[in-house]
Amino acid sequence: MRRNLGAPVLFVQDRPGFRGRIFRIYKFRTMTDRRDKDGLPLSDAARLTPFGQWLRATSLDELPELFNVLRGDMSLVGPRPLLVEYLPLYSQEQARRHEVRPGITGWSQINGRNAVDWDERLAMDVWYVENQSMWLDMRILAKTIGKVIRQDGISQDGQATMERFRGSGR
């Protein structure tokens, strides 16, 4: 990783978790730090390397999140922790995704991952909150293995990753 992407090897970022409490998430880096002439980061597409694409496609970039699970910041299953800047953009219904711990995988990951639009993805997160059970979590974990093997829904059409969430009009 260090040879392909440079140092540091880990990507560390603040994310909202259970009840919106901010925690630090750990992932393997998949992008370079390349910037434009004004010092701003280049687009995801320009910074995502072939090695980084492979890490994402195999979900190996997520392995350090097991540390977050051990610390209690995350669960194996739950809505994926999104960016802190999205917190004020959620509708009251969408904000319900924070009623459970975020997960490494979740209902929206096995039902489209990044290939579904934001409204659908957030609705699936709320559905998970309302239907959470050990049986559902086991089903999600089993289906996650298939999704990772098939490399389904890694990115949104026309995007290197996924477009930014801008709110749903509430």
Side-chain angles (χ1 to χ4, degrees):
M1 269 183 254
R2 183 169 285 206
R3 184 169 32 97
N4 285 295
L5 296 167
V9 172
L10 290 179
F11 171 76
V12 180
Q13 188 176 53
D14 289 343
R15 299 280 178 99
F18 181 59
R19 297 186 177 149
R21 186 181 63 81
I22 307 301
F23 71 98
R24 286 228 144 111
I25 193 170
Y26 299 92
K27 299 173 76 167
F28 285 127
R29 280 183 54 194
T30 59
M31 295 187 196
T32 67
D33 289 331
R34 292 180 53 212
R35 297 182 178 273
D36 66 16
K37 60 180 170 39
D38 297 321
L40 298 172
L42 294 177
S43 70
D44 287 355
R47 294 182 302 131
L48 188 62
T49 66
F51 180 70
Q53 288 175 325
W54 177 79
L55 281 175
R56 285 181 179 224
T58 59
S59 295
L60 290 173
D61 63 317
E62 310 286 349
L63 283 177
E65 291 175 33
L66 291 171
F67 177 71
N68 291 111
V69 172
L70 292 173
R71 286 185 42 174
D73 296 325
M74 292 178 67
S75 289
L76 290 177
V77 179
R80 289 289 300 149
L82 300 174
L83 299 176
V84 173
E85 67 192 63
Y86 295 171
L87 283 171
L89 302 176
Y90 298 132
S91 69
Q92 193 170 15
E93 180 71 6
Q94 292 167 340
R96 294 194 57 216
R97 68 188 314 279
H98 295 288
E99 292 176 11
V100 298
R101 279 195 185 113
I104 293 176
T105 187
W107 186 245
S108 63
Q109 275 59 51
I110 65 164
N111 288 293
R113 209 167 170 183
N114 289 333
V116 297
D117 68 35
W118 278 110
D119 287 337
E120 188 176 355
R121 181 178 182 173
L122 296 171
M124 285 190 267
D125 289 344
V126 173
W127 184 91
Y128 173 79
V129 168
E130 293 172 345
N131 294 279
Q132 182 184 20
S133 69
M134 187 183 311
W135 174 248
L136 180 59
D137 285 359
M138 299 303 277
R139 183 175 160 205
I140 291 169
L141 286 169
K143 285 192 164 211
T144 296
I145 295 167
K147 283 286 186 180
V148 170
I149 290 169
R150 286 188 308 279
Q151 300 179 0
D152 284 345
I154 296 162
S155 61
Q156 205 171 41
D157 285 341
Q159 301 285 326
T161 53
M162 185 165 184
E163 73 175 318
R164 298 186 81 69
F165 179 61
R166 297 179 189 343
S168 304
R170 297 171 211 223

